[in-house]
């Protein structure tokens, strides 16, 4: 139940263990040694009056302005106060904790030049549940996430706002109640080291990714239930089809579908009821699999970035150098997070088309129109599909890549920015829409199963999923307030009970 910062690389699971599951954080002795060595070099530069960006100069366009030794502390405090310009809703608790953790990981690598007390204070905030209040908008993703990281850093100085035990307080009060000493001042380089990096956009995107990986399992389960309700043709999931193409996500999805539908008395073979299914059933491995492959690619990039040092300048103790570069630039994550949003949007696209297939009497293989008895008096699931269509359409707008845009900042000194923070936030918005659409498919499939009289012929896996849904969402015999069922379906997905119940039967899903 503890994450040790130092030489070991952290994983996406490690991040979530700290941000959502309360794992404690510790700084290793190896990390302390590296922190101290880098700090000594910064102090040497200040004492010798060497010109070095952000240590003895101003920031951005002010890089040519030399700062005296006596003013370096004020310089570091000023960057935090002046850069805290974010607006909008506050970051969710887990994302804000992720920002603190990832900044601590960065600083503990020993290339930033801060004192050990700075890293220790961040770790104490995590361990004692002081969570900075950080508005979600205001970063262009280069020079790093300056504004959100400045909001995080205010709390270390007893400024800004923070949550403690669920209450939003001023930063000083939150730290006092948690028993964490605030930093009376900052030393040279420290304000810049706290604010210059990609930790905000990375925390947002990493949490979306974690939930998207799990949501892709729900997508396969929902698709299997739709197959049960429509007597889908299982031949399309033959392992040999995936083998001759070689796409890993397709192969994994087909295996999931075979395992989920094993023993079903509802699914059919080609030529029995019809020759072949439409694409949203027949091509489930290809469509779902492509999103799985994308999630795997994004995970690879995220697990690089959560271990990255994204400061400027960087302290290289072995050669006695302080080098100004551009690791703060968010482009390496902006493109993957745009790709993440696209992959998520496609998950909702195919799910909504299956909802339409179930409710449309022209293509639902004998089910009643809009899955309700006494149609006309009752509208049934007619508007469920409308709502899903609205979310899918919104996703198409949100999926436009943020990374193709750039607005120069700091008087054109920073003349190309990543907009990676926007890419990450958009992927979060898309995820929430996708979760709702998949919830709609789950309840629609359960209705189709009941109308087909197919419940007793379900596979063990789909029966487990069906039973979880039916605990909260009963059969629709006459019209009722549909939003209640939809909201319950989304809530079920959030609990992960469906996946847990199914995986007890089939083992781990891909």
């Amino acid at each position: 139940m503890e994450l040790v910062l130092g030489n070991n690389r952290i994983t996406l699971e490690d991040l979530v263990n700290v941000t959502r599951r309360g794992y404690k954080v510790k700084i290793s002795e190896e990390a302390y040694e590296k922190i101290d060595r880098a700090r000594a070099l910064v102090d040497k530069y200040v004492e010798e009056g060497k010109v070095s960006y952000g240590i003895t100069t101003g920031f951005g366009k002010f890089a040519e302005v030399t700062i005296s030794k006596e003013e370096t502390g004020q310089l570091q405090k000023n960057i935090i106060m002046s850069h805290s310009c974010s607006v909008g809703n506050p970051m969710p608790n887990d994302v804000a904790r992720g920002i603190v953790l990832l900044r601590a990981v960065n600083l503990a690598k020993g290339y930033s030049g801060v004192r050990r007390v700075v890293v220790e204070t961040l770790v104490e905030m995590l361990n004692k549940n002081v969570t900075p209040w950080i508005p979600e908008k205001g970063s262009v993703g280069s020079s790093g996430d300056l504004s959100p990281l400045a909001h995080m850093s205010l709390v270390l100085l007893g400024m800004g706002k923070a949550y403690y035990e669920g209450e939003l307080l001023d930063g000083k009060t939150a730290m006092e109640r948690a028993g964490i000493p605030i930093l009376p001042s900052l030393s040279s380089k420290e304000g810049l080291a706290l604010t210059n990096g990609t930790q905000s956009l990375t925390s947002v995107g990493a949490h979306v990714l974690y939930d998207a990986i799990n949501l892709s399992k729900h997508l396969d389960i929902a698709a299997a239930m739709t197959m049960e309700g429509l007597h889908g043709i299982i031949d399309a999931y033959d392992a040999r089809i995936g083998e001759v193409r070689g796409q890993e996500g397709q192969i994994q999805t087909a295996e999931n579908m075979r395992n989920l539908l094993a023993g079903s008395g509802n699914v059919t073979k080609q030529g029995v009821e019809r020759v072949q299914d439409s694409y949203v059933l027949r091509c489930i491995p290809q469509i779902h699999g492509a999103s799985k492959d994308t999630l795997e690619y994004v995970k690879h990039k995220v697990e690089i970035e959560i271990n990255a040092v994204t400061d400027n300048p960087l302290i290289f103790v072995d050669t006695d150098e302080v080098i100004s570069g551009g690791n703060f630039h968010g482009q390496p994550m902006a493109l993957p997070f745009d790709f993440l949003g696209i992959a998520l949007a496609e998950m909702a696209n195919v799910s909504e088309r299956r909802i339409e297939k179930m409710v449309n009497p022209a293509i639902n293989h004998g089910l009643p129109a809009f899955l309700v008895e006494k149609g006309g008096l009752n509208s049934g699931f007619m508007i469920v599909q409308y709502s899903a269509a609205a979310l899918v359409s919104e996703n198409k707008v949100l999926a436009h890549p943020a990374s193709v845009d750039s607005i120069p900042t700091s008087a054109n000194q920073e003349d190309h920015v990543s907009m990676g923070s926007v890419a990450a936030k958009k992927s979060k918005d898309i995820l929430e829409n996708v979760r709702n659409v998949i919830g709609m498919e789950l309840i629609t499939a359960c209705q189709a199963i009941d109308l087909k009289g197919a419940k007793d012929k379900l596979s063990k896996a789909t029966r487990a999923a069906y039973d979880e849904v039916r605990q909260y969402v009963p059969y629709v015999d006459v019209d009722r307030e549909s939003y209640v069922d939809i909201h319950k379906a989304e809530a079920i997905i959030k609990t992960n009970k469906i996946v847990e119940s199914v995986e007890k039967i089939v083992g781990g899903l891909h």
Side-chain angles (χ1 to χ4, degrees), residues 70-187:
E70 293 73 26
E71 293 176 315
T72 55
Q74 187 63 45
L75 172 71
Q76 302 305 317
K77 183 176 181 180
N78 284 352
I79 188 176
I80 290 174
M81 294 189 297
S82 67
H83 287 34
S84 53
C85 297
S86 292
V87 299
N89 296 323
M91 299 274 193
N93 186 73
D94 54 355
V95 172
R97 283 176 57 80
I99 294 170
V100 177
L101 172 63
L102 295 182
R103 204 63 203 148
V105 171
N106 179 113
L107 299 179
K109 299 285 186 181
Y111 295 95
S112 303
V114 301
R115 294 167 297 162
R116 59 168 63 188
V117 68
V118 175
V119 191
E120 289 171 337
T121 303
L122 290 172
V123 168
E124 276 205 272
M125 288 168 63
L126 290 168
N127 290 342
K128 295 181 178 179
N129 295 311
V130 173
T131 304
W133 175 85
I134 305 173
E136 63 183 353
K137 299 179 183 180
S139 172
V140 296
S142 179
S143 296
D145 292 308
L146 293 172
S147 184
L149 288 173
H151 280 275
M152 176 203 76
S153 304
L154 285 171
V155 181
L156 281 75
L157 300 172
M159 303 169 72
K161 300 178 183 179
Y163 297 95
Y164 180 65
E165 294 184 346
E167 186 178 359
L168 181 60
L169 307 164
D170 65 82
K172 183 179 180 181
T173 302
M175 296 288 269
E176 286 176 348
R177 289 191 185 178
I180 305 173
I182 63 171
L183 301 179
S185 62
L186 291 173
S187 188

Side-chain angles (χ1 to χ4, degrees), residues 224-234 261 263-269 272-274 448-450 452-459 462-463:
M225 295 175 71
T226 299
M227 283 283 290
E228 297 269 22
L230 291 174
H231 289 190
I233 301 168
I234 199 169
L261 293 168
S264 169
N266 295 310
V267 294
T268 59
K269 304 288 284 184
V272 176
E273 293 189 17
R274 51 195 175 274
I449 287 165
D450 286 340
K452 278 277 191 182
K455 181 173 70 172
D456 293 334
K457 295 181 181 179
L458 293 172
S459 72
T462 55
R463 180 58 188 259

